[in-house]
mmCIF file of all heavy atoms in Angstrom:
data_model
loop_
_atom_site.group_PDB
_atom_site.id
_atom_site.type_symbol
_atom_site.label_atom_id
_atom_site.label_comp_id
_atom_site.label_asym_id
_atom_site.label_seq_id
_atom_site.Cartn_x
_atom_site.Cartn_y
_atom_site.Cartn_z
ATOM 1 N N MET A 1 -17.339 -10.297 -20.795
ATOM 2 C CA MET A 1 -17.764 -8.990 -20.420
ATOM 3 C C MET A 1 -16.941 -8.600 -19.155
ATOM 4 O O MET A 1 -16.802 -9.340 -18.229
ATOM 5 C CB MET A 1 -19.252 -8.971 -20.091
ATOM 6 C CG MET A 1 -19.762 -7.684 -19.586
ATOM 7 S SD MET A 1 -21.523 -7.747 -19.243
ATOM 8 C CE MET A 1 -22.079 -6.910 -20.633
ATOM 9 N N PRO A 2 -16.343 -7.408 -19.146
ATOM 10 C CA PRO A 2 -15.533 -6.962 -18.010
ATOM 11 C C PRO A 2 -16.396 -6.792 -16.749
ATOM 12 O O PRO A 2 -17.593 -6.513 -16.801
ATOM 13 C CB PRO A 2 -14.912 -5.651 -18.466
ATOM 14 C CG PRO A 2 -15.476 -5.344 -19.798
ATOM 15 C CD PRO A 2 -16.385 -6.435 -20.233
ATOM 16 N N LYS A 3 -15.740 -7.008 -15.642
ATOM 17 C CA LYS A 3 -16.428 -6.802 -14.379
ATOM 18 C C LYS A 3 -16.644 -5.347 -14.088
ATOM 19 O O LYS A 3 -15.876 -4.509 -14.453
ATOM 20 C CB LYS A 3 -15.538 -7.270 -13.210
ATOM 21 C CG LYS A 3 -15.657 -8.709 -12.839
ATOM 22 C CD LYS A 3 -14.749 -9.028 -11.691
ATOM 23 C CE LYS A 3 -15.492 -9.861 -10.659
ATOM 24 N NZ LYS A 3 -14.589 -10.237 -9.574
ATOM 25 N N LYS A 4 -17.811 -5.039 -13.493
ATOM 26 C CA LYS A 4 -18.152 -3.645 -13.203
ATOM 27 C C LYS A 4 -17.315 -3.275 -11.902
ATOM 28 O O LYS A 4 -17.320 -3.980 -10.900
ATOM 29 C CB LYS A 4 -19.639 -3.505 -12.910
ATOM 30 C CG LYS A 4 -20.049 -2.093 -12.658
ATOM 31 C CD LYS A 4 -21.564 -2.034 -12.466
ATOM 32 C CE LYS A 4 -21.912 -0.577 -12.130
ATOM 33 N NZ LYS A 4 -23.344 -0.430 -11.862
ATOM 34 N N LEU A 5 -16.652 -2.125 -11.983
ATOM 35 C CA LEU A 5 -15.883 -1.666 -10.826
ATOM 36 C C LEU A 5 -16.806 -1.198 -9.722
ATOM 37 O O LEU A 5 -17.836 -0.648 -9.991
ATOM 38 C CB LEU A 5 -14.963 -0.525 -11.234
ATOM 39 C CG LEU A 5 -13.866 -0.823 -12.269
ATOM 40 C CD1 LEU A 5 -13.103 0.369 -12.670
ATOM 41 C CD2 LEU A 5 -12.978 -1.955 -11.761
ATOM 42 N N GLN A 6 -16.417 -1.464 -8.498
ATOM 43 C CA GLN A 6 -17.166 -1.108 -7.341
ATOM 44 C C GLN A 6 -16.553 0.135 -6.699
ATOM 45 O O GLN A 6 -15.360 0.323 -6.762
ATOM 46 C CB GLN A 6 -17.202 -2.188 -6.298
ATOM 47 C CG GLN A 6 -17.807 -3.515 -6.776
ATOM 48 C CD GLN A 6 -19.334 -3.339 -7.086
ATOM 49 O OE1 GLN A 6 -20.059 -2.717 -6.341
ATOM 50 N NE2 GLN A 6 -19.742 -3.887 -8.237
ATOM 51 N N PRO A 7 -17.368 1.074 -6.152
ATOM 52 C CA PRO A 7 -16.822 2.281 -5.462
ATOM 53 C C PRO A 7 -16.019 1.811 -4.255
ATOM 54 O O PRO A 7 -16.319 0.754 -3.611
ATOM 55 C CB PRO A 7 -18.018 2.998 -5.133
ATOM 56 C CG PRO A 7 -19.232 2.190 -5.320
ATOM 57 C CD PRO A 7 -18.784 1.042 -6.142
ATOM 58 N N ILE A 8 -15.037 2.685 -3.901
ATOM 59 C CA ILE A 8 -14.235 2.348 -2.691
ATOM 60 C C ILE A 8 -15.106 2.759 -1.510
ATOM 61 O O ILE A 8 -15.724 3.784 -1.439
ATOM 62 C CB ILE A 8 -12.953 3.180 -2.723
ATOM 63 C CG1 ILE A 8 -12.049 2.724 -3.839
ATOM 64 C CG2 ILE A 8 -12.225 3.089 -1.383
ATOM 65 C CD1 ILE A 8 -10.836 3.519 -4.036
ATOM 66 N N LYS A 9 -15.092 1.883 -0.445
ATOM 67 C CA LYS A 9 -15.788 2.104 0.772
ATOM 68 C C LYS A 9 -14.750 2.438 1.910
ATOM 69 O O LYS A 9 -13.553 2.122 1.758
ATOM 70 C CB LYS A 9 -16.537 0.886 1.199
ATOM 71 C CG LYS A 9 -17.532 0.415 0.163
ATOM 72 C CD LYS A 9 -18.201 -0.914 0.583
ATOM 73 C CE LYS A 9 -18.904 -1.518 -0.615
ATOM 74 N NZ LYS A 9 -19.042 -2.911 -0.511
ATOM 75 N N MET A 10 -15.231 2.985 2.990
ATOM 76 C CA MET A 10 -14.343 3.327 4.106
ATOM 77 C C MET A 10 -13.653 2.109 4.615
ATOM 78 O O MET A 10 -12.466 2.147 4.983
ATOM 79 C CB MET A 10 -15.145 3.991 5.277
ATOM 80 C CG MET A 10 -15.571 5.366 5.003
ATOM 81 S SD MET A 10 -14.158 6.473 4.615
ATOM 82 C CE MET A 10 -13.441 6.555 6.273
ATOM 83 N N GLU A 11 -14.303 0.972 4.642
ATOM 84 C CA GLU A 11 -13.699 -0.311 5.144
ATOM 85 C C GLU A 11 -12.532 -0.699 4.290
ATOM 86 O O GLU A 11 -11.607 -1.346 4.696
ATOM 87 C CB GLU A 11 -14.746 -1.406 5.190
ATOM 88 C CG GLU A 11 -15.891 -1.144 6.188
ATOM 89 C CD GLU A 11 -16.949 -0.193 5.637
ATOM 90 O OE1 GLU A 11 -17.139 -0.100 4.371
ATOM 91 O OE2 GLU A 11 -17.592 0.370 6.487
ATOM 92 N N ASP A 12 -12.613 -0.357 2.952
ATOM 93 C CA ASP A 12 -11.546 -0.753 2.075
ATOM 94 C C ASP A 12 -10.265 0.032 2.433
ATOM 95 O O ASP A 12 -9.194 -0.459 2.312
ATOM 96 C CB ASP A 12 -11.896 -0.402 0.588
ATOM 97 C CG ASP A 12 -13.085 -1.214 0.103
ATOM 98 O OD1 ASP A 12 -13.313 -2.339 0.559
ATOM 99 O OD2 ASP A 12 -13.828 -0.701 -0.771
ATOM 100 N N ILE A 13 -10.399 1.298 2.746
ATOM 101 C CA ILE A 13 -9.209 2.101 3.173
ATOM 102 C C ILE A 13 -8.480 1.537 4.358
ATOM 103 O O ILE A 13 -7.299 1.620 4.429
ATOM 104 C CB ILE A 13 -9.675 3.544 3.408
ATOM 105 C CG1 ILE A 13 -10.177 4.156 2.110
ATOM 106 C CG2 ILE A 13 -8.546 4.386 3.971
ATOM 107 C CD1 ILE A 13 -10.773 5.502 2.174
ATOM 108 N N ALA A 14 -9.217 0.852 5.234
ATOM 109 C CA ALA A 14 -8.596 0.290 6.411
ATOM 110 C C ALA A 14 -7.613 -0.878 6.032
ATOM 111 O O ALA A 14 -6.743 -1.253 6.801
ATOM 112 C CB ALA A 14 -9.611 -0.230 7.430
ATOM 113 N N LEU A 15 -7.849 -1.410 4.797
ATOM 114 C CA LEU A 15 -6.984 -2.484 4.338
ATOM 115 C C LEU A 15 -5.657 -2.003 3.770
ATOM 116 O O LEU A 15 -4.701 -2.761 3.606
ATOM 117 C CB LEU A 15 -7.755 -3.327 3.313
ATOM 118 C CG LEU A 15 -8.992 -3.989 3.773
ATOM 119 C CD1 LEU A 15 -9.734 -4.647 2.558
ATOM 120 C CD2 LEU A 15 -8.751 -4.992 4.872
ATOM 121 N N TYR A 16 -5.608 -0.733 3.462
ATOM 122 C CA TYR A 16 -4.374 -0.160 2.821
ATOM 123 C C TYR A 16 -3.255 -0.096 3.813
ATOM 124 O O TYR A 16 -3.387 0.212 4.954
ATOM 125 C CB TYR A 16 -4.627 1.233 2.262
ATOM 126 C CG TYR A 16 -5.613 1.389 1.132
ATOM 127 C CD1 TYR A 16 -6.104 2.569 0.733
ATOM 128 C CD2 TYR A 16 -6.089 0.266 0.465
ATOM 129 C CE1 TYR A 16 -7.009 2.740 -0.295
ATOM 130 C CE2 TYR A 16 -7.000 0.371 -0.562
ATOM 131 C CZ TYR A 16 -7.454 1.624 -0.938
ATOM 132 O OH TYR A 16 -8.353 1.724 -1.956
ATOM 133 N N ARG A 17 -2.093 -0.441 3.273
ATOM 134 C CA ARG A 17 -0.790 -0.254 4.065
ATOM 135 C C ARG A 17 0.077 0.597 3.149
ATOM 136 O O ARG A 17 0.368 0.220 2.052
ATOM 137 C CB ARG A 17 -0.204 -1.621 4.340
ATOM 138 C CG ARG A 17 -1.046 -2.545 5.137
ATOM 139 C CD ARG A 17 -1.273 -2.025 6.579
ATOM 140 N NE ARG A 17 -2.053 -2.900 7.402
ATOM 141 C CZ ARG A 17 -3.374 -2.747 7.630
ATOM 142 N NH1 ARG A 17 -4.032 -1.844 7.109
ATOM 143 N NH2 ARG A 17 -3.943 -3.593 8.408
ATOM 144 N N ILE A 18 0.487 1.747 3.665
ATOM 145 C CA ILE A 18 1.188 2.665 2.836
ATOM 146 C C ILE A 18 2.626 2.778 3.240
ATOM 147 O O ILE A 18 2.941 3.362 4.317
ATOM 148 C CB ILE A 18 0.497 4.036 2.922
ATOM 149 C CG1 ILE A 18 -0.940 3.911 2.454
ATOM 150 C CG2 ILE A 18 1.255 5.088 2.036
ATOM 151 C CD1 ILE A 18 -1.845 5.095 2.823
ATOM 152 N N PRO A 19 3.581 2.262 2.440
ATOM 153 C CA PRO A 19 5.003 2.404 2.785
ATOM 154 C C PRO A 19 5.522 3.776 2.489
ATOM 155 O O PRO A 19 5.102 4.432 1.548
ATOM 156 C CB PRO A 19 5.621 1.276 1.916
ATOM 157 C CG PRO A 19 4.723 1.198 0.760
ATOM 158 C CD PRO A 19 3.382 1.527 1.251
ATOM 159 N N SER A 20 6.504 4.222 3.259
ATOM 160 C CA SER A 20 7.082 5.508 3.001
ATOM 161 C C SER A 20 8.459 5.593 3.704
ATOM 162 O O SER A 20 8.854 4.720 4.472
ATOM 163 C CB SER A 20 6.223 6.622 3.524
ATOM 164 O OG SER A 20 6.053 6.521 4.904
ATOM 165 N N ASN A 21 9.151 6.666 3.401
ATOM 166 C CA ASN A 21 10.422 7.014 4.147
ATOM 167 C C ASN A 21 11.458 5.880 4.059
ATOM 168 O O ASN A 21 11.998 5.447 5.144
ATOM 169 C CB ASN A 21 10.103 7.480 5.533
ATOM 170 C CG ASN A 21 11.191 8.405 6.076
ATOM 171 O OD1 ASN A 21 12.071 8.811 5.356
ATOM 172 N ND2 ASN A 21 11.052 8.795 7.293
ATOM 173 N N LEU A 22 11.705 5.343 2.936
ATOM 174 C CA LEU A 22 12.722 4.257 2.777
ATOM 175 C C LEU A 22 14.117 4.741 3.007
ATOM 176 O O LEU A 22 14.552 5.799 2.483
ATOM 177 C CB LEU A 22 12.563 3.650 1.382
ATOM 178 C CG LEU A 22 11.357 2.768 1.109
ATOM 179 C CD1 LEU A 22 10.128 3.596 1.007
ATOM 180 C CD2 LEU A 22 11.568 1.946 -0.099
ATOM 181 N N ARG A 23 14.876 3.993 3.815
ATOM 182 C CA ARG A 23 16.234 4.334 4.122
ATOM 183 C C ARG A 23 17.155 3.105 4.085
ATOM 184 O O ARG A 23 16.972 2.194 4.861
ATOM 185 C CB ARG A 23 16.371 4.937 5.563
ATOM 186 C CG ARG A 23 15.497 6.129 5.872
ATOM 187 C CD ARG A 23 16.033 7.391 5.260
ATOM 188 N NE ARG A 23 15.139 8.455 5.553
ATOM 189 C CZ ARG A 23 15.506 9.678 5.655
ATOM 190 N NH1 ARG A 23 16.739 10.023 5.496
ATOM 191 N NH2 ARG A 23 14.522 10.588 5.826
ATOM 192 N N TYR A 24 18.154 3.067 3.224
ATOM 193 C CA TYR A 24 19.130 2.012 3.184
ATOM 194 C C TYR A 24 20.141 2.217 4.257
ATOM 195 O O TYR A 24 20.484 3.338 4.613
ATOM 196 C CB TYR A 24 19.787 1.918 1.818
ATOM 197 C CG TYR A 24 19.025 1.212 0.791
ATOM 198 C CD1 TYR A 24 18.370 1.823 -0.197
ATOM 199 C CD2 TYR A 24 18.968 -0.170 0.810
ATOM 200 C CE1 TYR A 24 17.627 1.119 -1.160
ATOM 201 C CE2 TYR A 24 18.242 -0.934 -0.130
ATOM 202 C CZ TYR A 24 17.606 -0.210 -1.081
ATOM 203 O OH TYR A 24 16.819 -0.909 -2.011
ATOM 204 N N SER A 25 20.605 1.140 4.860
ATOM 205 C CA SER A 25 21.733 1.147 5.801
ATOM 206 C C SER A 25 22.977 1.551 5.042
ATOM 207 O O SER A 25 23.049 1.488 3.830
ATOM 208 C CB SER A 25 21.913 -0.191 6.407
ATOM 209 O OG SER A 25 22.245 -1.185 5.462
ATOM 210 N N PRO A 26 24.006 2.135 5.771
ATOM 211 C CA PRO A 26 25.179 2.586 5.056
ATOM 212 C C PRO A 26 25.826 1.548 4.194
ATOM 213 O O PRO A 26 26.385 1.798 3.112
ATOM 214 C CB PRO A 26 26.093 3.017 6.195
ATOM 215 C CG PRO A 26 25.196 3.348 7.334
ATOM 216 C CD PRO A 26 24.043 2.429 7.177
ATOM 217 N N ASP A 27 25.830 0.251 4.598
ATOM 218 C CA ASP A 27 26.399 -0.748 3.823
ATOM 219 C C ASP A 27 25.482 -1.374 2.712
ATOM 220 O O ASP A 27 25.872 -2.182 1.978
ATOM 221 C CB ASP A 27 26.919 -1.889 4.683
ATOM 222 C CG ASP A 27 25.849 -2.667 5.470
ATOM 223 O OD1 ASP A 27 24.614 -2.368 5.260
ATOM 224 O OD2 ASP A 27 26.141 -3.544 6.217
ATOM 225 N N GLY A 28 24.255 -0.802 2.708
ATOM 226 C CA GLY A 28 23.334 -1.222 1.656
ATOM 227 C C GLY A 28 22.688 -2.603 1.766
ATOM 228 O O GLY A 28 22.025 -3.022 0.837
ATOM 229 N N THR A 29 22.842 -3.265 2.941
ATOM 230 C CA THR A 29 22.342 -4.581 3.112
ATOM 231 C C THR A 29 20.980 -4.657 3.743
ATOM 232 O O THR A 29 20.231 -5.639 3.656
ATOM 233 C CB THR A 29 23.273 -5.484 3.939
ATOM 234 O OG1 THR A 29 23.404 -4.838 5.249
ATOM 235 C CG2 THR A 29 24.625 -5.598 3.329
ATOM 236 N N ARG A 30 20.540 -3.567 4.323
ATOM 237 C CA ARG A 30 19.201 -3.502 4.944
ATOM 238 C C ARG A 30 18.508 -2.224 4.496
ATOM 239 O O ARG A 30 19.064 -1.196 4.228
ATOM 240 C CB ARG A 30 19.383 -3.488 6.481
ATOM 241 C CG ARG A 30 19.849 -4.850 7.064
ATOM 242 C CD ARG A 30 20.201 -4.735 8.497
ATOM 243 N NE ARG A 30 21.453 -4.000 8.512
ATOM 244 C CZ ARG A 30 22.000 -3.467 9.618
ATOM 245 N NH1 ARG A 30 21.356 -3.653 10.767
ATOM 246 N NH2 ARG A 30 23.163 -2.863 9.582
ATOM 247 N N LEU A 31 17.165 -2.358 4.572
ATOM 248 C CA LEU A 31 16.272 -1.207 4.198
ATOM 249 C C LEU A 31 15.292 -1.030 5.364
ATOM 250 O O LEU A 31 14.555 -1.977 5.711
ATOM 251 C CB LEU A 31 15.535 -1.516 2.927
ATOM 252 C CG LEU A 31 14.529 -0.513 2.486
ATOM 253 C CD1 LEU A 31 15.157 0.822 2.062
ATOM 254 C CD2 LEU A 31 13.708 -1.028 1.309
ATOM 255 N N ALA A 32 15.268 0.150 5.949
ATOM 256 C CA ALA A 32 14.268 0.553 6.906
ATOM 257 C C ALA A 32 13.245 1.315 6.286
ATOM 258 O O ALA A 32 13.472 2.133 5.417
ATOM 259 C CB ALA A 32 14.910 1.278 8.064
#
């Protein structure tokens, strides 16, 4: 039987890490 999904709580949102604005270096060896 599948697990019942739980609603998202405010405390759960604090665990999120959201990456954005990816930029490669001109030589393509590093990513900021």
Side-chain angles (χ1 to χ4, degrees):
M1 177 180 258
K3 273 183 136 176
K4 184 177 177 184
L5 297 177
Q6 298 296 317
I8 294 175
K9 301 175 194 155
M10 288 300 292
E11 296 79 24
D12 297 332
I13 293 173
L15 300 174
Y16 295 168
R17 301 295 182 259
I18 303 165
S20 62
N21 208 4
L22 286 72
R23 305 280 177 154
Y24 276 103
S25 62
D27 64 4
T29 62
R30 290 171 287 168
L31 174 67

